[in-house]
Amino acid sequence: METPDGPWAWGVLTAVMLIHGLTLGFPSSIGVFYTDLQTSFQASNTEVSWFPSIVMAVLHAGGPLCSIMVEKFGCRVTVMMGGLLCGMGMVASSFSKSIIHLYLSAGLLAGLGLCFCFQSAVTVLGYYFIRRRTLANALASTGASIGMALWPLASQHLLEYVGWRGSFMIFGGVLLNCCVCGAIMRPVRAPKPAPEKELLAPNVKNGISSGGEEMEKGKGIQRYMAFDLLLHHRRYQIYTIGVTWMVLGFILPLFYLVPYATSSGIEEGTAALLLSLIGFINIFARPISGLVSQQRIFSGKLIYLFSVAVILNGLSNLVCAAWVTFPALLIYCALYSISMSVIASLVFQVLMDTVGMKRFPGAFGLFTILESITILMGPPLAGLLVDITGQYNLVFYASAVAVTSSGIFMGLASLALDRKEAKARKSNQETAENGDREEQLDIKYSPS
């Protein structure tokens, strides 16, 4: 058994970075194959759009199932199982005879494998790192940025030589490397009892976690999906509704930027370079945004920083929709990726601050389920819009409206709630002070 914060932990961190790059990088490259899939299956924009939406929806919606797997079998086995599902799903997809087969193989099967790999990798860092957990999570997130930078370039190169079917078969072999990464996630020796804030998840069998078993004990489904928070916790309601609405448009540029650019006369290789640029900027912007968010000035106010980033991300889509020149798209990619970096570095931290670490697993499970619904709806609705109008730029206008409005909602609703709570605290304080004065007067004038 390994000890937390030991030498082996840094090897596991390297494996987690690789998993982030593999699992989050692949969905970002799907736009490269958009036109070829459409031609191969004689499918409409709406039909092809279901493919990336299913991948992303399953990647998020599988969270509660992944949590159960981790509890029963441990992170090591779950990651390796996810790697096998990814490999089999992508290889099977290369033989697809219809778009439905693609949905089931690369969408459902490989998407579930991506979920098992990614979410188990996130969980295992909480057990391998105690003192340097924040640093470990920040470094791990750079793996996703590297993946987003390299996958589109590799996809475009493979597409030119072996087509989309050969590319997907090769991707199946590449994603099997998740099994190797999972194999080095050896059991961790349970550390000494830590304060409640150090517990990231419930107890995991097979020596993966220390005793978090008391958390959410006896609450059944609330352990994985905290419906009580959605019904009664006002801040959780605001944040969950806001982010769920945001992702309706937030991921659309990753899928439609390449076909939008190529339909406007930009070469395919150059268009794929735009996606890679978003990933390269993320490599540097995510750690910087993480450091900035830790400054004292943002203490207790991360929701406002998050909301501003969401608003700016939404507005950046107007640049892409209005001007279709390559320099304009470069400016768009810079604006989009910087704001995206802030959103990615804060999205789970704001949730932790909102509900506390004790309720985080259940809150996170329900949060990802609700996210997956709008993620599933977004690309097909955008594809339908393109089928009806024949204009890709309307997708970016729609994305701007959805993302910007969600940021405004979260910011204003949080501000109104803060003012209401401040007013209530002031009223309670005045009541307490008046009570103290009356008590002092009663004592002063009471007969001795």
Side-chain angles (χ1 to χ4, degrees), residues 294-312:
Q294 297 300 312
Q295 301 302 309
R296 186 174 299 179
I297 189 175
F298 296 115
S299 179
K301 301 177 182 177
L302 285 182
I303 183 62
Y304 297 111
L305 180 60
F306 182 82
S307 299
V308 170
V310 171
I311 293 171
L312 293 178

Side-chain angles (χ1 to χ4, degrees), residues 54-55 58-60 85-86 105-116:
I54 290 172
V55 173
V58 175
L59 176 60
H60 287 77
L85 291 176
C86 289
S105 55
L108 188 60
L109 187 61
L112 187 61
L114 294 176
C115 172
F116 283 1

Side-chain angles (χ1 to χ4, degrees), residues 203-231:
N203 182 52
V204 178
K205 292 184 180 181
N206 300 331
I208 293 295
S209 170
S210 62
E213 191 174 6
E214 296 300 320
M215 186 175 62
E216 305 286 323
K217 187 175 182 180
K219 293 191 176 181
I221 196 171
Q222 288 184 18
R223 184 172 184 173
Y224 306 107
M225 290 188 286
F227 288 105
D228 61 318
L229 292 177
L230 188 63
L231 294 175

Side-chain angles (χ1 to χ4, degrees), residues 9-198:
W10 297 101
V12 172
L13 174 59
T14 303
V16 171
M17 288 179 65
L18 183 57
I19 288 175
H20 279 220
L22 292 174
T23 57
L24 298 184
F26 166 68
S28 69
S29 70
I30 292 176
V32 174
F33 302 100
Y34 192 94
T35 304
D36 289 79
L37 291 173
Q38 196 172 14
T39 303
S40 180
F41 295 116
Q42 296 296 303
S44 65
N45 286 283
T46 306
E47 291 172 327
V48 175
S49 297
W50 276 106
F51 169 45
S53 67
I54 290 172
V55 173
M56 294 298 293
V58 175
L59 176 60
H60 287 77
L65 177 59
C66 180
S67 296
I68 295 172
M69 291 287 295
V70 168
E71 256 194 76
K72 187 170 182 62
F73 302 108
C75 293
R76 188 184 204 179
V77 173
T78 305
V79 171
M80 295 176 71
M81 186 178 296
L84 287 173
L85 291 176
C86 289
M88 290 189 298
M90 292 308 299
V91 171
S93 70
S94 67
F95 297 99
S96 296
K97 298 299 182 182
S98 71
I99 194 73
I100 300 298
H101 294 163
L102 189 68
Y103 296 160
L104 296 175
S105 55
L108 188 60
L109 187 61
L112 187 61
L114 294 176
C115 172
F116 283 1
C117 291
F118 170 67
Q119 299 204 24
S120 299
V122 172
T123 302
V124 80
L125 281 185
Y127 305 130
Y128 266 98
F129 289 91
I130 304 298
R131 298 191 306 273
R132 300 183 180 90
R133 185 174 294 160
T134 302
L135 174 63
N137 282 310
L139 292 174
S141 69
T142 61
S145 304
I146 296 172
M148 289 177 62
L150 297 181
W151 269 95
L153 293 177
S155 298
Q156 183 61 41
H157 182 74
L158 289 172
L159 182 62
E160 293 176 359
Y161 287 94
V162 296
W164 73 266
R165 293 184 185 275
S167 300
F168 279 23
M169 182 172 288
I170 292 173
F171 290 165
V174 172
L175 288 169
L176 282 174
N177 283 286
C178 290
C179 298
V180 180
C181 296
I184 72 171
M185 295 176 183
R186 299 193 294 208
V188 183
R189 182 178 292 109
K192 295 179 181 179
E196 181 180 286
K197 66 179 181 179
E198 294 293 340

